[in-house]
Amino acid sequence: VLPPLVFWFLKHRRGLHAINAETAGSVRERLYFEALARIDFPLPPISVQQRLVARIDAVAAKIAEAKRLREETTEQATRLLVSMA
């Protein structure tokens, strides 16, 4: 299994739900290996995993770039408003 695929799965709504189900009732929410091993994880062939990771990484990069551009635009708009005052 490709570690980035496990990472993305666990950060996804379905993975977070599974983590919550496995850590319910504990004082501190820690995901020990035994609990992680009980989580159902779809495990496609490695070639499919590689394609999924590549696609998720590409989309994540686009999201990060969009966030950066939004922050940059907000900063520029703020500077423009200050200079007009």
Side-chain angles (χ1 to χ4, degrees):
V1 63
L2 294 178
L5 189 61
V6 174
F7 173 77
W8 287 115
F9 172 78
L10 293 175
K11 289 196 59 132
H12 184 269
R13 176 178 18 101
R14 186 173 163 196
L16 293 172
H17 177 68
I19 291 170
N20 286 336
E22 288 298 328
T23 59
S26 61
V27 176
R28 292 185 181 157
E29 292 185 358
R30 293 185 180 174
L31 185 63
Y32 293 103
F33 180 79
E34 294 80 20
L36 177 62
R38 288 190 300 267
I39 293 176
D40 287 330
F41 179 76
L43 193 57
I46 195 75
S47 61
V48 174
Q49 291 180 46
Q50 291 168 334
R51 286 197 312 268
L52 287 171
V53 168
R55 179 152 180 170
I56 292 169
D57 285 345
V59 170
K62 288 179 182 180
I63 291 170
E65 177 65 8
K67 287 179 180 179
R68 186 191 66 75
L69 289 171
R70 182 182 63 207
E71 290 171 6
E72 184 180 305
T73 302
T74 300
E75 290 172 8
Q76 290 175 356
T78 301
R79 285 195 303 270
L80 180 60
L81 289 173
V82 168
S83 70
M84 293 172 57

